[in-house]
Each structure stands twice: as C-alpha cells, then as structure tokens.
Amino acid sequence: MAGLPFIRARVHLLPLLALGWIPACGDSGDTVTTSASEASSVTTGGPGGTSNPTSAGPDATSQSSVPTTSDGSVSAGETLADTTSAPQTTTGVSTGEPASTSGVNPSDGSTTSSTSGGDSTDGPKLDMGPKVCDPDATPATFDFIWIANSSQGTVSKIDTKTGVEQARYRTAAGPSNPSRTSVNQYGDVAVSSRDPGSIIKISALKQKCVDTNNNGMIDTSNGPNDVRPWGSDECVLWSQTFPSPGYSFGPRPTAWEGVSQDPDTCETPTPRLWGGWMDGQNTAHFVRLDGDTGVQLDEVLRPNWFGSGYGPYGGAVNSKGDLYAVGLETTLIHIDAETLVLEDIPVPPDLASYGFAIDKNGDIWVGSYGVNSMYHYKVGEKKWYPLGNGGGWVLGLQTDKKGRVWGAGTGPCRLVHADVATVKYVNANIPLPGCGQPWGASIDNEGFVWIVDKANKAFKVNPDTYAVELVVNGLIDPYTYSDMTGQGLQLVLPQ
C-alpha cells in the first residue's frame, strides 16, 4: 500500500494519521442557554502576533521545478507546492529610453537636467504603464460539489452539471465523522473530520494528483463504489491531525483564503487554509495551514470559548483573508489575517447561531433555530438585523452573485430565499418534494442552488423558478453546510 506524502505536525500537534477514535454521534440540535465569558485572545506565529507566543511557525521550504509524468501528474516524492508556486511568465515593454538625471546649479540655484547616452532630449518618450502579468496558469475547476458522508467516513465528489458522483474518498484510516468541506480558488477541497480531529486536502483534477507508487498513472477513485483504502488514493494530497479530545471538540470551521497575483513578481502565492477546534480546557484553537503541505503556520487561541459544549462551529473569510467564525448558538469572532488579532463581536441575546456565510459585500449571514430564523450582520455598521421567523429553523446557508441568500429550512423541510439588499425574506417556504432534513445550502458554478438533505440525498434547484432540477441519491448520512463548491469564496476573492 502506497503511503501519503504526509507532513509531520509541529510539536503541539499529535503525530499524523492517529488511529485512535471515539464512536461518533450526530451534532446536537438542543438549545442550551448560558452566558458567554469574557475572554482574551492569544496569538502565536504569523506577523504582528501579540506577546507571549507559545510557538513559532516553521521556516518556509524552498521551491523547485519537478518532473511530471506523461499524463501531467506530479512524479512521486514531490509535493504539490513544487508544481503550483513557480513564477508565472511575465511580459514587459523595453523603452530604450536613456536614464535622466537632475540637479541644482550651485552658482545660481537653477535646476539642471541631463540625459545619459545621447545629446538630445526632444525625442518621443514611451509610457511603460503598469506591469502586465500573464493570467495564473494553475489548472482549476468548479464543476463539483463535495459532500461528506459522515457515518461512512468519506466525502463524495459530485458533478454539479449532471449530478453524477465521480469519486468517493476516505477521510482517515478509520471512522472519522467528516462534516465541513471548503473549496479553494482552484477547485481543490479541504475536508474536516470531527473525531478523531483532522483536515485533509484532495485535488479536484487528476493532473495535480501525485503518482506516489511510480507506476506511471494516477490511482484514484472512479465512483461511489470505488473507495480506495486509506493511503492509496493518489488524489488525497495530505492529512493533518489535531489533538481535539472528542467529537464535540473536533475541527469544524474550514475556510480557504483567497489570493491574487503579486503585481511586481506576477507570482500567485499558495492559498492558506483556516481551521478551528477546541481543547479539553475550552480554549478554541484557530489554525492556519500551509495549503501545499498541511503544516501549521499560525495559531490563535481564544480561552473560555462558549458554544453550548461544542468548539468553533462554522467559518468563512472576507476579501482580506480575515477569518470570521461562529459558535453553536452564540459567539462570533474575527481574526485579522495580517496581525492575527482576535476580536469578539457581540451577538443578539436571542441568536441561536448555526450555519454561516459571507456575502459579496463582506457582510455576515447566520442561520438560526431561535426566535428569528436568520440574522444579518453589517460589518461596517457593527449592527445586527434579525429577519424574523422564516417558518422554522434555517441551518446551513449561502449567498450568491446576484445578492440572494439561500437557506436550508428544516422543521418543516423547505428552501428559504432572502434578499441581501433589503434584508428580508423573499420566499420562506419553497417546497422540496421528498425531502427529510435539509441541513446545508450551496451554490454551484452555474448559479443553481444545492440543498444537502440528511435523508441521504441532495437537491439541485433552479434559483429563478424554484424547480427541482435533479436529486442525487446514494449519500450516507450527508452532513455538510459549508462552502462545498467554492462559490462562497468566489464572492470575496481579492481583485
């Protein structure tokens, strides 16, 4: 059996691929009322961290070009970093214009100027303008939705155009209870498992998988019934484990940052990944991982985390890469991507927070199972807007490019449509024939709405007509309500 190119975590993490596990159960929907404790943040690693760091980030490794196989995959022994972070080709304009110099005449104070390399300064001058970079050539795709099969310990890769499940991957060596998935700007996915706590990365495209056994081909899943043994699927690129002590403490918030090309070098940095878990002393750990290796780069601690017995529950980034994360029923925090300073954001007393999303304006939407079914927080105003009762609970939600908010309504089951501009419901009772327990909402690359139903299925819905376009069956205890297509990230990519 071929092994994964796993990266050993730093000393404050457990060794990779821990095999111990605790039998898992489903997330609780019971409401627990208590008060949030005052807390301060502690940061480690990263630029501008506060004092008393507990650890420092590892030194960056050098990058080099690597050979590829005939099908475009990376040859064995190399990491994805070696193939995606090479500088892009740049183009420029040579003016041939000689450099000019200027000075002051010491005798009368008048200014003088001269041009080296020629006697005349009357010729035409060419304005170079801004440097032009070739587009980032990293292969990308957004034709898939990634839904975790929690009790099976797998994640499904489903074609959003056809509804066909193209692959299914194990998320750990044993039972792992995966839930949140997050897709980066190239289409690759990170999957968080709650028990034992871990995050893995899977390539969406075969040419970015790694031929670890050197057989000249990529060995990977080809459908829902082709689940390869742990460590043998060559599209699972890395795994990182965390010392969370049980199911309610394990990683849940999972969010890739967005990156853009450097205007001077034309290089595009590798996106980093945010995650979050809780230790046995109720301290929340927000970690930022290297996207190529899974190695932990930064960690921000928030003692006395309040989340009704659960660790951080959901998260998303803004255009700066800042992380916003929410707890179950209450607690909302913001972490600055540059300084790693953590800020507590006061929440309404009747908020029963659950699903979480950020719209194209950088503002926050929260699904709730309290008095109000949905809440909106305008970051610039620092103000909450409750939308009122939306016919029952709204759990997972997502916003789209046209300024619409879509929520998975349960108790009773339905799809909920709200409007970003007016902060009002448009239709809070859109039927989903045959639904059981809608839990997660997402948007695909064509703008269709997807609802993950715990009754082992997923719905694809037309956002204009509300018609159900197709239903995907065959899932096993699906439980995903994060940015499972990457379209949430697309809304806030840096320009």
Side-chain angles (χ1 to χ4, degrees):
M1 180 183 299
L4 287 172
F6 292 147
I7 308 299
R8 181 171 298 277
R10 294 174 48 207
V11 296
H12 55 281
L13 299 179
L14 288 179
L16 292 173
L17 302 178
L19 298 180
W21 63 281
I22 301 173
C25 59
D27 271 359
S28 171
D30 296 335
T31 301
V32 179
T33 303
T34 182
S35 60
S37 302
E38 293 295 327
S40 60
S41 64
V42 181
T43 67
T44 66
T50 59
S51 59
N52 301 319
T54 58
S55 63
D59 293 336
T61 57
S62 61
Q63 304 296 319
S64 62
S65 60
V66 297
T68 59
T69 62
S70 58
D71 66 352
S73 60
V74 183
S75 60
E78 304 293 346
T79 66
L80 181 61
D82 296 318
T83 63
T84 59
S85 61
Q88 302 298 321
T89 302
T90 63
T91 59
V93 179
S94 175
T95 66
E97 181 181 344
S100 63
T101 60
S102 61
V104 178
N105 189 323
S107 62
D108 60 7
S110 63
T111 60
T112 64
S113 63
S114 64
T115 303
S116 61
D119 296 329
S120 174
T121 60
D122 297 331
K125 294 179 174 59
L126 180 62
D127 183 5
M128 292 181 65
K131 186 173 184 178
V132 178
C133 295
D134 289 339
D136 184 355
T138 306
T141 180
F142 298 99
D143 291 335
F144 303 105
I145 185 169
W146 301 80
I147 301 175
N149 302 292
S150 293
S151 63
Q152 189 186 47
T154 65
V155 62
S156 293
K157 175 186 179 183
I158 299 168
D159 188 311
T160 54
K161 294 182 179 178
T162 65
V164 174
E165 183 172 343
Q166 293 196 353
R168 189 173 292 198
Y169 306 90
R170 297 192 186 281
T171 57
S176 54
N177 226 304
S179 62
R180 307 337 185 241
T181 66
S182 176
V183 175
N184 68 18
Q185 65 195 68
Y186 303 113
D188 302 318
V189 69
V191 185
S192 288
S193 294
R194 296 168 288 190
D195 190 26
S198 70
I199 299 177
I200 68 169
K201 179 184 178 181
I202 305 172
S203 173
L205 293 172
K206 188 176 289 188
Q207 62 259 45
K208 294 198 292 183
C209 302
V210 182
D211 181 15
T212 56
N213 60 11
N214 289 310
N215 66 352
M217 60 184 292
I218 294 299
D219 299 309
T220 187
S221 172
N222 291 300
N225 299 316
D226 180 23
V227 182
R228 305 296 175 99
W230 177 246
S232 66
D233 196 304
E234 294 178 332
C235 286
V236 180
L237 301 181
W238 53 254
S239 176
Q240 178 64 280
T241 60
F242 303 94
S244 49
Y247 169 81
S248 63
F249 301 82
R252 285 174 171 82
T254 312
W256 290 95
E257 68 177 356
V259 295
S260 57
Q261 284 180 301
D262 185 295
D264 296 321
T265 67
C266 292
E267 294 183 6
T268 303
T270 300
R272 296 168 296 187
L273 177 70
W274 284 105
W277 58 281
M278 187 171 73
D279 63 29
Q281 289 71 49
N282 288 346
T283 294
H285 296 243
F286 295 99
V287 295
R288 190 162 55 182
L289 309 180
D290 183 285
D292 281 335
T293 66
V295 168
Q296 182 173 307
L297 302 174
D298 306 299
E299 184 174 50
V300 180
L301 306 181
R302 202 289 200 172
N304 302 314
W305 179 262
F306 176 74
S308 296
Y310 286 79
Y313 217 70
V317 299
N318 63 13
S319 61
K320 298 178 181 178
D322 298 350
L323 177 70
Y324 287 92
V326 69
L328 178 62
E329 298 183 0
T330 188
T331 309
L332 176 64
I333 62 96
H334 164 256
I335 299 176
D336 187 284
E338 293 295 327
T339 67
L340 297 184
V341 171
L342 184 150
E343 170 196 12
D344 278 299
I345 298 175
V347 299
D350 56 357
L351 175 68
S353 52
Y354 206 85
F356 187 80
I358 292 179
D359 64 29
K360 61 183 179 181
N361 302 317
D363 294 325
I364 293 168
W365 293 83
V366 183
S368 174
Y369 53 92
V371 175
N372 295 279
S373 303
M374 197 181 292
Y375 286 82
H376 179 47
Y377 179 73
K378 293 191 176 182
V379 175
E381 298 179 7
K382 296 186 177 181
K383 185 176 180 180
W384 287 93
Y385 293 84
L387 273 72
N389 188 298
W393 297 1
V394 172
L395 301 180
L397 43 73
Q398 189 56 267
T399 65
D400 68 17
K401 295 176 182 178
K402 294 186 177 181
R404 297 173 293 198
V405 187
W406 303 95
T410 189
C413 74
R414 68 208 186 281
L415 172 63
V416 177
H417 173 195
D419 180 63
V420 169
T422 62
V423 195
K424 293 181 179 180
Y425 295 116
V426 176
N427 190 331
N429 192 27
I430 302 167
L432 298 170
C435 69
Q437 288 184 295
W439 222 256
S442 191
I443 313 297
D444 70 21
N445 199 37
E446 298 179 304
F448 289 94
V449 181
W450 284 76
I451 297 295
V452 176
D453 187 348
K454 289 178 71 176
N456 298 334
K457 64 184 70 173
F459 296 86
K460 178 181 177 179
V461 181
N462 188 306
D464 299 316
T465 66
Y466 299 153
V468 175
E469 300 287 332
L470 59 82
V471 179
V472 175
N473 292 292
L475 301 173
I476 300 175
D477 295 327
Y479 196 88
T480 301
Y481 45 98
S482 48
D483 187 14
M484 57 193 106
T485 63
Q487 293 306 304
L489 178 63
Q490 295 289 321
L491 296 176
V492 298
L493 283 179
Q495 301 300 315

